[in-house]
Amino acid sequence: MADESDATAGSGGGNVHSRTVTEGDTRAPNRAMLRAVGFRDGDFGKPIVGLSNSHSTITPCNAGLNRLAAAAEQAIREAGGMPQTFGTITVSDGISMGTEGMKCSLVSREVIGDSIETVCRAQSHDGVLAVGGCDKNMPGALIAMARLDLPAVFVYGGTIKPGVLDGREIDLASAFEAVGQLQAQKIDRAQLGAVERHACPGAGSCGGMYTANTMSSVIEAMGMSIPGSSTMLAVDDEIVGAARDAGTALMGLVKRGVTARQILTKEAFENGIAVAMAIGGSTNAVLHLLAIAHAAEVPLSLDDFRRIRERTPQLCDMKPAGRHVVAALHAAGGVPVVMRQLLDAGLLHGDCLTITGKTVAENLAGAPAQPDPGQTVIFPVSKPHYPQGHLVILGGSLAPDGAVAKTSGPDPIVHRGPARVFDGEEAAMAAILGRRVAAGDVVVIRYEGPKGGPGMREMLGPTSALVGEGLSGKVALITDGRFSGATHGRVVGHVAPEAQVGGPIALVEDGDVVVLDTARGVLDVEVDEATLAARRAAWSPPPPRYTRGVLAKFARLVSSASLGAVTDRD
């Protein structure tokens, strides 16, 4: 049994294990079990922290996480803590894309958040460090951290190196677009096979400014990860050092009593939104930031994204719409160079606290005030890549509760055309690959929302097929589902209310004229109210696709996409 002085040292009583020796001998069984996993007499008074590791060989995004978890674990021990490691899940969005399995992608965000919260509550941890790679690892971990309100740090697994084929850089999105190119007879099967073999050369998350790299950058901007770490390459040694720094930083937070919600303030979320706009990030950032804010009890709405987008320039030229992968952004100085420019322009809250114990402004004091003129990734704020952010929040008769459009240029998207309506991704994909979608059309994919899918699948297959067939910029695609961060073109997702609950998107018919205008923030269907009312009276929801299991539970609990598609709202 530990002596009295061992038991009362450490975190100041935040953990049940470090409190209970003074309560008598009733906790001897607890200590006995902890001895079996390596605790010794002097360890019971130390802060006990959870270390969540989502390592797996399901996806390259998570295949290299064990060495980061080990580095963070060692740093925690050296800083006086007792780490307890545990696993959580991941699923591969890229591998499940276009299949029924993709319905589990957004569900996995909730499972990850629930699992980390469950372990840390059950074990009365004094803090939590989470290591993750694929898209839902990051928002899932941040949701748990916000709910728990413990000292908390996130460690990103890093981005993948670009593949190289015939002297040009390619990535996973290249493989999806090659499918459309094959159907359009622009390439042959041998060329498609070459893209497949070269697109993903090793461990790391998808290489463009897609969802994983967007969320890692946003988390750095919000102060919840080590500065400069969000764009590191998964296979490089520097990322191991960042993981060690993260473990040390977590123990600093524990000793100072700084918890996640002290960092995750409204101003921190505004910083995250500004950086998402500046780097050309994924539409999924909108959904995930709303969900994390809900967990942190921070008031955040689509109006905040509208407001911040209008004042924030896009500074980075990144895939999918641009030229560069995140490895190039890192070589150009990474997120700190972007943030320093935004800070100096008065577009960031510099007084926000971060995991380092310093403010945002203090962390950025040593970052370059201007990007290196020899690189082409980061533009100066005085001559931005585009004058405003690229994520546009829409309203209108087709999306009264909101929708998210992704633009890719200085000019607004204005598209007016006849609707081609499909109840589900598979039907739309068959029409696109069958060359039954023409320039000027508006492809409407519905019953793919949070409840209707269920699970709000990403439509990377259809959008990539349109790009591959040369229809990008000529066809608009709108859906109550989501988009991969690798999607670009005239696309609108997160249409709310969704079709399954009787939103206007459920009432659209083939040939109805749909108007998309990002300058006015409008998504309308040109059908008179009397006609819509008649259609609504004749409409009834389709039966749920799942009645048991995780997808059925998700469908029963999930909120609208306009509220973050969370599962624990009142």
Side-chain angles (χ1 to χ4, degrees):
M1 181 184 298
D3 63 27
E4 194 98 344
S5 61
D6 286 335
T8 55
S11 65
N15 184 284
V16 65
H17 307 300
S18 62
R19 291 198 303 266
T20 52
V21 175
T22 58
E23 297 172 5
D25 296 328
T26 59
R27 296 295 181 176
N30 305 65
R31 297 193 298 276
M33 293 189 73
L34 289 171
R35 289 182 188 279
V37 294
F39 277 62
R40 298 294 179 260
D41 284 352
D43 294 333
F44 291 101
K46 297 177 180 177
I48 302 175
V49 299
L51 198 164
S52 169
N53 178 10
S54 61
H55 169 86
S56 80
T57 56
I58 285 175
T59 170
C61 308
N62 292 55
L65 300 187
N66 274 342
R67 66 179 187 143
L68 306 185
E73 180 182 12
Q74 181 181 356
I76 290 167
R77 291 185 187 277
E78 291 173 354
M82 287 300 292
Q84 290 192 308
T85 61
F86 60 94
T88 189
I89 68 159
T90 195
V91 303
S92 174
D93 290 5
I95 295 171
S96 65
M97 195 74 69
T99 74
E100 189 76 1
M102 184 63 196
K103 294 179 178 180
C104 292
S105 168
L106 187 59
V107 175
S108 75
R109 183 191 75 179
E110 303 305 294
V111 175
I112 292 164
D114 290 352
S115 66
I116 295 173
E117 179 190 5
T118 299
V119 172
C120 292
R121 287 196 190 281
Q123 303 310 126
S124 302
H125 284 147
D126 289 310
V128 58
L129 182 146
V131 184
C134 201
D135 294 7
K136 307 309 174 295
N137 297 178
M138 283 156 281
L142 268 288
I143 286 169
M145 292 169 180
R147 289 177 184 166
L148 290 162
D149 197 25
L150 295 171
V153 174
F154 185 79
V155 175
Y156 181 44
T159 187
I160 197 170
K161 283 188 173 181
V164 178
L165 179 62
D166 298 330
R168 62 186 178 92
E169 291 185 347
I170 62 172
D171 61 7
L172 181 64
S174 307
F176 279 95
E177 292 174 8
V179 173
Q181 292 169 338
L182 178 68
Q183 295 298 318
Q185 299 182 338
K186 296 180 179 180
I187 62 173
D188 59 26
R189 290 190 179 277
Q191 290 170 300
L192 174 63
V195 172
E196 173 200 322
R197 287 189 292 274
H198 290 83
C200 298
S205 297
C206 297
M209 190 50 74
Y210 310 150
T211 303
N213 286 321
T214 296
M215 292 309 300
S216 70
S217 300
V218 166
I219 289 169
E220 178 179 330
M222 294 170 72
M224 291 295 291
S225 63
I226 293 296
S229 66
S230 65
T231 55
M232 291 179 179
L233 274 69
V235 296
D236 286 354
D237 289 338
E238 68 172 342
I239 200 167
V240 179
R244 284 195 294 267
D245 292 343
T248 302
L250 176 63
M251 290 309 300
L253 297 176
V254 171
K255 291 171 182 176
R256 294 191 300 275
V258 177
T259 65
R261 292 194 190 183
Q262 291 172 258
I263 296 174
L264 293 173
T265 62
K266 177 65 177 285
E267 291 74 19
F269 280 94
E270 292 186 348
N271 286 350
I273 295 170
V275 167
M277 297 293 180
I279 61 177
S282 167
T283 54
N284 284 309
V286 178
L287 193 77
H288 297 327
L289 283 170
L290 289 170
I292 298 165
H294 170 71
E297 299 185 82
V298 169
L300 194 72
S301 73
L302 293 178
D303 287 337
D304 293 304
F305 289 86
R306 286 190 181 99
R307 172 175 54 84
I308 294 169
R309 181 240 171 198
E310 290 175 356
R311 74 186 190 204
T312 307
Q314 185 177 334
L315 300 181
C316 298
D317 182 13
M318 305 296 300
K319 286 180 177 288
R323 293 177 292 170
H324 298 289
V325 295
V326 169
L329 173 61
H330 189 64
V335 170
V337 177
V338 177
M339 290 183 67
R340 175 62 189 271
Q341 291 197 86
L342 294 177
L343 178 69
D344 291 349
L347 299 173
L348 286 186
H349 300 284
D351 57 350
C352 288
L353 184 63
T354 74
I355 62 161
T356 65
K358 299 178 181 179
T359 65
V360 166
E362 289 170 337
N363 285 341
L364 295 174
Q370 293 291 322
D372 186 331
Q375 52 80 49
T376 58
V377 186
I378 307 172
F379 285 64
V381 74
S382 58
K383 294 182 179 180
H385 190 37
Y386 300 125
Q388 288 185 321
H390 61 303
L391 300 179
V392 183
I393 305 302
L394 305 175
S397 63
L398 198 49
D401 289 350
V404 184
K406 188 175 188 180
T407 62
S408 56
D411 299 322
I413 297 172
V414 180
H415 187 107
R416 183 179 182 273
R420 296 292 313 281
V421 182
F422 303 96
D423 291 348
E425 177 185 3
E426 288 82 1
M429 191 68 171
I432 294 167
L433 294 180
R435 314 298 295 277
R436 299 193 301 274
V437 172
D441 286 347
V442 178
V443 175
V444 178
I445 305 177
R446 64 189 180 191
Y447 295 105
E448 289 287 5
K451 287 184 179 293
M456 208 179 178
R457 285 192 291 185
E458 295 178 346
M459 303 292 124
L460 179 58
T463 57
S464 296
L466 290 171
V467 171
E469 293 188 12
L471 291 173
S472 179
K474 301 175 183 178
V475 171
L477 189 151
I478 71 171
T479 180
D480 53 7
R482 297 184 295 130
F483 294 114
S484 164
T487 289
H488 60 107
R490 297 188 170 193
V491 297
V492 179
H494 309 194
V495 172
E498 63 174 290
Q500 186 70 26
V501 300
I505 192 173
L507 310 178
V508 179
E509 296 182 358
D510 277 335
D512 289 347
V513 174
V514 174
V515 177
L516 164 62
D517 187 338
T518 60
R520 295 189 295 125
V522 166
L523 182 64
D524 281 336
V525 57
E526 292 185 347
V527 177
D528 62 79
E529 283 296 326
T531 302
L532 286 177
R535 292 179 186 178
R536 185 173 290 108
W539 176 86
S540 59
R545 290 187 169 99
Y546 289 83
T547 58
R548 297 283 184 90
V550 66
L551 286 169
K553 288 191 288 186
F554 182 84
R556 284 195 296 269
L557 294 171
V558 70
S559 74
S560 169
S562 64
L563 300 173
V566 298
T567 55
D568 64 344
R569 292 191 74 90
D570 295 337

